[in-house]
Amino acid sequence: MAQAGRRWQRSLFPWLLEFGLTQCKSDPCVFTMTKLVDNVEQRLTLGCYVDDLFMLYSHDEKGSLHDDFVQALTLRWNVEDEGPVSDLLNVDISVDESCVVLKQDKYISHLVATYLPDGVPLTFSKSRTPASESLPQMIEDALASKHLRVTPPDVLSSYQPLVGALLYCSTQTRPDVAFA
């Protein structure tokens, strides 16, 4: 059912607010809560994507904010804890000591296999950006031109998904991609 995720959110979001979480203003699918439990500040951050929930928490022992939340959630809905998350939306997630590590190595390898099936061209250099130094002037000339060229649909259909995929990488885990 195409609307199942939205229906789930219409039921879940009010319940989250009633539980005491605060909905993030910049992303309405993210909720946060800070609470003193036995004089210890505990934090819970919850993200909702369609029908999946992703939680970050500072404490997980019995009686903790996380434990109370999971118990209340389980009483309200038939949910299943699938354990520690390892990937979400093409982002690999791991915990290294006290930090969370996000990577998109597999996703980027998939992009290379899809868009460069013969491998990376030898003319590409790792030490410089792939754009020509004359690119700013080329853009200026194109914008000033009175003659607009129409890009063939087959070129657009192969170029646009690649640009979208690179933008996804640059906004998730690889801001350096935005400068390449």
PDB file of all heavy atoms in Angstrom, residues 25-55:
ATOM      1  N   LYS A  25      12.332  20.999  14.278  1.00  0.00           N
ATOM      2  CA  LYS A  25      11.756  21.958  13.333  1.00  0.00           C
ATOM      3  C   LYS A  25      12.346  21.821  11.935  1.00  0.00           C
ATOM      4  O   LYS A  25      11.657  22.010  10.945  1.00  0.00           O
ATOM      5  CB  LYS A  25      11.962  23.381  13.844  1.00  0.00           C
ATOM      6  CG  LYS A  25      11.093  23.722  15.045  1.00  0.00           C
ATOM      7  CD  LYS A  25      11.328  25.158  15.484  1.00  0.00           C
ATOM      8  CE  LYS A  25      10.361  25.613  16.516  1.00  0.00           C
ATOM      9  NZ  LYS A  25      10.491  25.111  17.833  1.00  0.00           N
ATOM     10  N   SER A  26      13.630  21.491  11.846  1.00  0.00           N
ATOM     11  CA  SER A  26      14.279  21.396  10.535  1.00  0.00           C
ATOM     12  C   SER A  26      14.002  20.082   9.821  1.00  0.00           C
ATOM     13  O   SER A  26      14.158  19.992   8.610  1.00  0.00           O
ATOM     14  CB  SER A  26      15.783  21.607  10.666  1.00  0.00           C
ATOM     15  OG  SER A  26      16.341  20.615  11.512  1.00  0.00           O
ATOM     16  N   ASP A  27      13.610  19.045  10.561  1.00  0.00           N
ATOM     17  CA  ASP A  27      13.255  17.758   9.956  1.00  0.00           C
ATOM     18  C   ASP A  27      12.132  17.140  10.778  1.00  0.00           C
ATOM     19  O   ASP A  27      12.372  16.618  11.869  1.00  0.00           O
ATOM     20  CB  ASP A  27      14.459  16.825   9.916  1.00  0.00           C
ATOM     21  CG  ASP A  27      14.181  15.543   9.139  1.00  0.00           C
ATOM     22  OD1 ASP A  27      12.992  15.166   8.988  1.00  0.00           O
ATOM     23  OD2 ASP A  27      15.144  14.915   8.683  1.00  0.00           O
ATOM     24  N   PRO A  28      10.906  17.189  10.275  1.00  0.00           N
ATOM     25  CA  PRO A  28       9.759  16.715  11.066  1.00  0.00           C
ATOM     26  C   PRO A  28       9.757  15.216  11.343  1.00  0.00           C
ATOM     27  O   PRO A  28       8.920  14.745  12.116  1.00  0.00           O
ATOM     28  CB  PRO A  28       8.555  17.124  10.219  1.00  0.00           C
ATOM     29  CG  PRO A  28       9.073  17.293   8.841  1.00  0.00           C
ATOM     30  CD  PRO A  28      10.507  17.709   8.974  1.00  0.00           C
ATOM     31  N   CYS A  29      10.673  14.474  10.764  1.00  0.00           N
ATOM     32  CA  CYS A  29      10.749  13.031  11.026  1.00  0.00           C
ATOM     33  C   CYS A  29      11.772  12.698  12.109  1.00  0.00           C
ATOM     34  O   CYS A  29      12.081  11.532  12.346  1.00  0.00           O
ATOM     35  CB  CYS A  29      11.082  12.289   9.734  1.00  0.00           C
ATOM     36  SG  CYS A  29       9.749  12.374   8.529  1.00  0.00           S
ATOM     37  N   VAL A  30      12.324  13.720  12.756  1.00  0.00           N
ATOM     38  CA  VAL A  30      13.300  13.518  13.832  1.00  0.00           C
ATOM     39  C   VAL A  30      12.714  14.069  15.133  1.00  0.00           C
ATOM     40  O   VAL A  30      12.165  15.171  15.162  1.00  0.00           O
ATOM     41  CB  VAL A  30      14.640  14.213  13.497  1.00  0.00           C
ATOM     42  CG1 VAL A  30      15.613  14.099  14.668  1.00  0.00           C
ATOM     43  CG2 VAL A  30      15.252  13.620  12.236  1.00  0.00           C
ATOM     44  N   PHE A  31      12.839  13.288  16.202  1.00  0.00           N
ATOM     45  CA  PHE A  31      12.317  13.645  17.514  1.00  0.00           C
ATOM     46  C   PHE A  31      13.432  13.495  18.544  1.00  0.00           C
ATOM     47  O   PHE A  31      14.272  12.591  18.427  1.00  0.00           O
ATOM     48  CB  PHE A  31      11.156  12.720  17.895  1.00  0.00           C
ATOM     49  CG  PHE A  31       9.958  12.864  17.008  1.00  0.00           C
ATOM     50  CD1 PHE A  31       9.916  12.240  15.767  1.00  0.00           C
ATOM     51  CD2 PHE A  31       8.873  13.622  17.408  1.00  0.00           C
ATOM     52  CE1 PHE A  31       8.814  12.370  14.935  1.00  0.00           C
ATOM     53  CE2 PHE A  31       7.757  13.763  16.590  1.00  0.00           C
ATOM     54  CZ  PHE A  31       7.730  13.137  15.354  1.00  0.00           C
ATOM     55  N   THR A  32      13.422  14.351  19.546  1.00  0.00           N
ATOM     56  CA  THR A  32      14.446  14.295  20.593  1.00  0.00           C
ATOM     57  C   THR A  32      13.798  14.396  21.964  1.00  0.00           C
ATOM     58  O   THR A  32      12.695  14.929  22.115  1.00  0.00           O
ATOM     59  CB  THR A  32      15.472  15.430  20.448  1.00  0.00           C
ATOM     60  OG1 THR A  32      14.794  16.681  20.564  1.00  0.00           O
ATOM     61  CG2 THR A  32      16.205  15.360  19.123  1.00  0.00           C
ATOM     62  N   MET A  33      14.531  13.899  22.956  1.00  0.00           N
ATOM     63  CA  MET A  33      14.064  14.010  24.336  1.00  0.00           C
ATOM     64  C   MET A  33      15.274  13.946  25.258  1.00  0.00           C
ATOM     65  O   MET A  33      16.187  13.145  25.050  1.00  0.00           O
ATOM     66  CB  MET A  33      13.103  12.873  24.670  1.00  0.00           C
ATOM     67  CG  MET A  33      12.484  12.973  26.039  1.00  0.00           C
ATOM     68  SD  MET A  33      11.262  11.642  26.246  1.00  0.00           S
ATOM     69  CE  MET A  33      10.530  12.093  27.792  1.00  0.00           C
ATOM     70  N   THR A  34      15.282  14.817  26.244  1.00  0.00           N
ATOM     71  CA  THR A  34      16.289  14.801  27.291  1.00  0.00           C
ATOM     72  C   THR A  34      15.541  14.725  28.614  1.00  0.00           C
ATOM     73  O   THR A  34      14.562  15.444  28.810  1.00  0.00           O
ATOM     74  CB  THR A  34      17.164  16.078  27.236  1.00  0.00           C
ATOM     75  OG1 THR A  34      17.771  16.163  25.947  1.00  0.00           O
ATOM     76  CG2 THR A  34      18.250  16.036  28.287  1.00  0.00           C
ATOM     77  N   LYS A  35      16.013  13.856  29.502  1.00  0.00           N
ATOM     78  CA  LYS A  35      15.288  13.648  30.762  1.00  0.00           C
ATOM     79  C   LYS A  35      16.287  13.265  31.852  1.00  0.00           C
ATOM     80  O   LYS A  35      17.245  12.533  31.591  1.00  0.00           O
ATOM     81  CB  LYS A  35      14.260  12.531  30.559  1.00  0.00           C
ATOM     82  CG  LYS A  35      13.363  12.260  31.736  1.00  0.00           C
ATOM     83  CD  LYS A  35      12.342  11.179  31.370  1.00  0.00           C
ATOM     84  CE  LYS A  35      11.428  10.870  32.515  1.00  0.00           C
ATOM     85  NZ  LYS A  35      10.465   9.810  32.171  1.00  0.00           N
ATOM     86  N   LEU A  36      16.048  13.761  33.058  1.00  0.00           N
ATOM     87  CA  LEU A  36      16.846  13.339  34.203  1.00  0.00           C
ATOM     88  C   LEU A  36      16.285  12.037  34.746  1.00  0.00           C
ATOM     89  O   LEU A  36      15.099  11.955  35.076  1.00  0.00           O
ATOM     90  CB  LEU A  36      16.817  14.393  35.309  1.00  0.00           C
ATOM     91  CG  LEU A  36      17.786  15.554  35.180  1.00  0.00           C
ATOM     92  CD1 LEU A  36      17.584  16.542  36.317  1.00  0.00           C
ATOM     93  CD2 LEU A  36      19.221  15.088  35.121  1.00  0.00           C
ATOM     94  N   VAL A  37      17.110  11.017  34.806  1.00  0.00           N
ATOM     95  CA  VAL A  37      16.727   9.728  35.374  1.00  0.00           C
ATOM     96  C   VAL A  37      17.748   9.426  36.460  1.00  0.00           C
ATOM     97  O   VAL A  37      18.942   9.299  36.171  1.00  0.00           O
ATOM     98  CB  VAL A  37      16.710   8.610  34.301  1.00  0.00           C
ATOM     99  CG1 VAL A  37      16.384   7.267  34.928  1.00  0.00           C
ATOM    100  CG2 VAL A  37      15.749   8.951  33.175  1.00  0.00           C
ATOM    101  N   ASP A  38      17.308   9.373  37.697  1.00  0.00           N
ATOM    102  CA  ASP A  38      18.195   9.171  38.849  1.00  0.00           C
ATOM    103  C   ASP A  38      19.346  10.184  38.846  1.00  0.00           C
ATOM    104  O   ASP A  38      20.517   9.830  39.008  1.00  0.00           O
ATOM    105  CB  ASP A  38      18.746   7.738  38.864  1.00  0.00           C
ATOM    106  CG  ASP A  38      17.665   6.701  39.045  1.00  0.00           C
ATOM    107  OD1 ASP A  38      16.655   7.001  39.722  1.00  0.00           O
ATOM    108  OD2 ASP A  38      17.814   5.591  38.489  1.00  0.00           O
ATOM    109  N   ASN A  39      18.998  11.455  38.603  1.00  0.00           N
ATOM    110  CA  ASN A  39      19.955  12.571  38.577  1.00  0.00           C
ATOM    111  C   ASN A  39      21.004  12.458  37.474  1.00  0.00           C
ATOM    112  O   ASN A  39      22.069  13.060  37.567  1.00  0.00           O
ATOM    113  CB  ASN A  39      20.644  12.752  39.936  1.00  0.00           C
ATOM    114  CG  ASN A  39      19.672  13.253  40.980  1.00  0.00           C
ATOM    115  OD1 ASN A  39      18.787  14.052  40.682  1.00  0.00           O
ATOM    116  ND2 ASN A  39      19.820  12.763  42.208  1.00  0.00           N
ATOM    117  N   VAL A  40      20.714  11.682  36.453  1.00  0.00           N
ATOM    118  CA  VAL A  40      21.609  11.552  35.297  1.00  0.00           C
ATOM    119  C   VAL A  40      20.844  12.004  34.054  1.00  0.00           C
ATOM    120  O   VAL A  40      19.745  11.497  33.785  1.00  0.00           O
ATOM    121  CB  VAL A  40      22.092  10.087  35.111  1.00  0.00           C
ATOM    122  CG1 VAL A  40      22.945   9.950  33.862  1.00  0.00           C
ATOM    123  CG2 VAL A  40      22.856   9.623  36.341  1.00  0.00           C
ATOM    124  N   GLU A  41      21.422  12.971  33.321  1.00  0.00           N
ATOM    125  CA  GLU A  41      20.768  13.435  32.094  1.00  0.00           C
ATOM    126  C   GLU A  41      20.892  12.357  31.014  1.00  0.00           C
ATOM    127  O   GLU A  41      21.990  11.913  30.699  1.00  0.00           O
ATOM    128  CB  GLU A  41      21.418  14.731  31.602  1.00  0.00           C
ATOM    129  CG  GLU A  41      20.712  15.305  30.391  1.00  0.00           C
ATOM    130  CD  GLU A  41      21.336  16.605  29.922  1.00  0.00           C
ATOM    131  OE1 GLU A  41      22.284  16.531  29.122  1.00  0.00           O
ATOM    132  OE2 GLU A  41      20.868  17.667  30.363  1.00  0.00           O
ATOM    133  N   GLN A  42      19.739  11.937  30.499  1.00  0.00           N
ATOM    134  CA  GLN A  42      19.715  10.921  29.446  1.00  0.00           C
ATOM    135  C   GLN A  42      19.068  11.519  28.208  1.00  0.00           C
ATOM    136  O   GLN A  42      18.157  12.324  28.297  1.00  0.00           O
ATOM    137  CB  GLN A  42      18.945   9.688  29.918  1.00  0.00           C
ATOM    138  CG  GLN A  42      19.614   9.020  31.092  1.00  0.00           C
ATOM    139  CD  GLN A  42      18.998   7.676  31.434  1.00  0.00           C
ATOM    140  OE1 GLN A  42      18.203   7.107  30.691  1.00  0.00           O
ATOM    141  NE2 GLN A  42      19.390   7.144  32.582  1.00  0.00           N
ATOM    142  N   ARG A  43      19.578  11.115  27.043  1.00  0.00           N
ATOM    143  CA  ARG A  43      19.082  11.636  25.767  1.00  0.00           C
ATOM    144  C   ARG A  43      18.603  10.497  24.881  1.00  0.00           C
ATOM    145  O   ARG A  43      19.177   9.404  24.877  1.00  0.00           O
ATOM    146  CB  ARG A  43      20.180  12.420  25.059  1.00  0.00           C
ATOM    147  CG  ARG A  43      20.535  13.707  25.750  1.00  0.00           C
ATOM    148  CD  ARG A  43      21.666  14.455  25.065  1.00  0.00           C
ATOM    149  NE  ARG A  43      22.869  13.665  24.810  1.00  0.00           N
ATOM    150  CZ  ARG A  43      23.775  13.333  25.717  1.00  0.00           C
ATOM    151  NH1 ARG A  43      23.619  13.719  26.958  1.00  0.00           N
ATOM    152  NH2 ARG A  43      24.836  12.639  25.396  1.00  0.00           N
ATOM    153  N   LEU A  44      17.557  10.821  24.125  1.00  0.00           N
ATOM    154  CA  LEU A  44      17.009   9.888  23.141  1.00  0.00           C
ATOM    155  C   LEU A  44      16.720  10.691  21.880  1.00  0.00           C
ATOM    156  O   LEU A  44      16.099  11.748  21.943  1.00  0.00           O
ATOM    157  CB  LEU A  44      15.718   9.258  23.670  1.00  0.00           C
ATOM    158  CG  LEU A  44      14.953   8.323  22.745  1.00  0.00           C
ATOM    159  CD1 LEU A  44      15.718   7.026  22.537  1.00  0.00           C
ATOM    160  CD2 LEU A  44      13.579   8.022  23.312  1.00  0.00           C
ATOM    161  N   THR A  45      17.216  10.219  20.764  1.00  0.00           N
ATOM    162  CA  THR A  45      16.923  10.838  19.463  1.00  0.00           C
ATOM    163  C   THR A  45      16.349   9.744  18.584  1.00  0.00           C
ATOM    164  O   THR A  45      16.895   8.646  18.510  1.00  0.00           O
ATOM    165  CB  THR A  45      18.199  11.423  18.820  1.00  0.00           C
ATOM    166  OG1 THR A  45      18.757  12.389  19.707  1.00  0.00           O
ATOM    167  CG2 THR A  45      17.888  12.086  17.488  1.00  0.00           C
ATOM    168  N   LEU A  46      15.244  10.067  17.937  1.00  0.00           N
ATOM    169  CA  LEU A  46      14.544   9.075  17.126  1.00  0.00           C
ATOM    170  C   LEU A  46      14.308   9.637  15.729  1.00  0.00           C
ATOM    171  O   LEU A  46      13.877  10.777  15.582  1.00  0.00           O
ATOM    172  CB  LEU A  46      13.198   8.760  17.789  1.00  0.00           C
ATOM    173  CG  LEU A  46      12.370   7.719  17.071  1.00  0.00           C
ATOM    174  CD1 LEU A  46      12.394   6.437  17.860  1.00  0.00           C
ATOM    175  CD2 LEU A  46      10.957   8.209  16.923  1.00  0.00           C
ATOM    176  N   GLY A  47      14.628   8.846  14.718  1.00  0.00           N
ATOM    177  CA  GLY A  47      14.344   9.213  13.338  1.00  0.00           C
ATOM    178  C   GLY A  47      13.345   8.226  12.762  1.00  0.00           C
ATOM    179  O   GLY A  47      13.393   7.028  13.062  1.00  0.00           O
ATOM    180  N   CYS A  48      12.422   8.719  11.960  1.00  0.00           N
ATOM    181  CA  CYS A  48      11.414   7.868  11.342  1.00  0.00           C
ATOM    182  C   CYS A  48      11.531   8.004   9.828  1.00  0.00           C
ATOM    183  O   CYS A  48      11.497   9.121   9.294  1.00  0.00           O
ATOM    184  CB  CYS A  48      10.029   8.297  11.812  1.00  0.00           C
ATOM    185  SG  CYS A  48       8.702   7.320  11.075  1.00  0.00           S
ATOM    186  N   TYR A  49      11.711   6.895   9.144  1.00  0.00           N
ATOM    187  CA  TYR A  49      11.734   6.893   7.685  1.00  0.00           C
ATOM    188  C   TYR A  49      10.720   5.854   7.219  1.00  0.00           C
ATOM    189  O   TYR A  49      10.906   4.663   7.458  1.00  0.00           O
ATOM    190  CB  TYR A  49      13.125   6.572   7.141  1.00  0.00           C
ATOM    191  CG  TYR A  49      13.164   6.566   5.637  1.00  0.00           C
ATOM    192  CD1 TYR A  49      13.120   7.761   4.924  1.00  0.00           C
ATOM    193  CD2 TYR A  49      13.182   5.377   4.930  1.00  0.00           C
ATOM    194  CE1 TYR A  49      13.128   7.767   3.548  1.00  0.00           C
ATOM    195  CE2 TYR A  49      13.187   5.369   3.548  1.00  0.00           C
ATOM    196  CZ  TYR A  49      13.156   6.566   2.863  1.00  0.00           C
ATOM    197  OH  TYR A  49      13.149   6.563   1.493  1.00  0.00           O
ATOM    198  N   VAL A  50       9.654   6.311   6.601  1.00  0.00           N
ATOM    199  CA  VAL A  50       8.521   5.499   6.159  1.00  0.00           C
ATOM    200  C   VAL A  50       8.013   4.693   7.355  1.00  0.00           C
ATOM    201  O   VAL A  50       7.326   5.234   8.197  1.00  0.00           O
ATOM    202  CB  VAL A  50       8.858   4.610   4.941  1.00  0.00           C
ATOM    203  CG1 VAL A  50       7.613   3.935   4.405  1.00  0.00           C
ATOM    204  CG2 VAL A  50       9.520   5.422   3.830  1.00  0.00           C
ATOM    205  N   ASP A  51       8.366   3.411   7.470  1.00  0.00           N
ATOM    206  CA  ASP A  51       7.887   2.621   8.612  1.00  0.00           C
ATOM    207  C   ASP A  51       9.036   2.084   9.464  1.00  0.00           C
ATOM    208  O   ASP A  51       8.866   1.160  10.232  1.00  0.00           O
ATOM    209  CB  ASP A  51       6.981   1.477   8.139  1.00  0.00           C
ATOM    210  CG  ASP A  51       7.713   0.490   7.255  1.00  0.00           C
ATOM    211  OD1 ASP A  51       8.858   0.770   6.850  1.00  0.00           O
ATOM    212  OD2 ASP A  51       7.148  -0.569   6.960  1.00  0.00           O
ATOM    213  N   ASP A  52      10.214   2.693   9.320  1.00  0.00           N
ATOM    214  CA  ASP A  52      11.372   2.289  10.121  1.00  0.00           C
ATOM    215  C   ASP A  52      11.710   3.376  11.130  1.00  0.00           C
ATOM    216  O   ASP A  52      11.614   4.564  10.836  1.00  0.00           O
ATOM    217  CB  ASP A  52      12.600   2.054   9.233  1.00  0.00           C
ATOM    218  CG  ASP A  52      12.469   0.815   8.376  1.00  0.00           C
ATOM    219  OD1 ASP A  52      11.877  -0.171   8.864  1.00  0.00           O
ATOM    220  OD2 ASP A  52      12.948   0.824   7.237  1.00  0.00           O
ATOM    221  N   LEU A  53      12.111   2.951  12.327  1.00  0.00           N
ATOM    222  CA  LEU A  53      12.566   3.875  13.356  1.00  0.00           C
ATOM    223  C   LEU A  53      14.042   3.619  13.618  1.00  0.00           C
ATOM    224  O   LEU A  53      14.494   2.480  13.652  1.00  0.00           O
ATOM    225  CB  LEU A  53      11.785   3.664  14.658  1.00  0.00           C
ATOM    226  CG  LEU A  53      10.286   3.904  14.607  1.00  0.00           C
ATOM    227  CD1 LEU A  53       9.663   3.605  15.966  1.00  0.00           C
ATOM    228  CD2 LEU A  53       9.981   5.327  14.192  1.00  0.00           C
ATOM    229  N   PHE A  54      14.777   4.696  13.821  1.00  0.00           N
ATOM    230  CA  PHE A  54      16.202   4.632  14.123  1.00  0.00           C
ATOM    231  C   PHE A  54      16.425   5.426  15.398  1.00  0.00           C
ATOM    232  O   PHE A  54      15.997   6.578  15.488  1.00  0.00           O
ATOM    233  CB  PHE A  54      17.002   5.225  12.955  1.00  0.00           C
ATOM    234  CG  PHE A  54      18.466   5.312  13.206  1.00  0.00           C
ATOM    235  CD1 PHE A  54      19.260   4.187  13.171  1.00  0.00           C
ATOM    236  CD2 PHE A  54      19.058   6.537  13.474  1.00  0.00           C
ATOM    237  CE1 PHE A  54      20.628   4.265  13.394  1.00  0.00           C
ATOM    238  CE2 PHE A  54      20.416   6.632  13.700  1.00  0.00           C
ATOM    239  CZ  PHE A  54      21.204   5.496  13.662  1.00  0.00           C
ATOM    240  N   MET A  55      17.039   4.799  16.416  1.00  0.00           N
ATOM    241  CA  MET A  55      17.213   5.468  17.700  1.00  0.00           C
ATOM    242  C   MET A  55      18.678   5.614  18.071  1.00  0.00           C
ATOM    243  O   MET A  55      19.469   4.689  17.883  1.00  0.00           O
ATOM    244  CB  MET A  55      16.542   4.654  18.815  1.00  0.00           C
ATOM    245  CG  MET A  55      15.062   4.816  18.883  1.00  0.00           C
ATOM    246  SD  MET A  55      14.378   4.094  20.390  1.00  0.00           S
ATOM    247  CE  MET A  55      14.677   2.359  20.131  1.00  0.00           C
TER     248      MET A  55
END
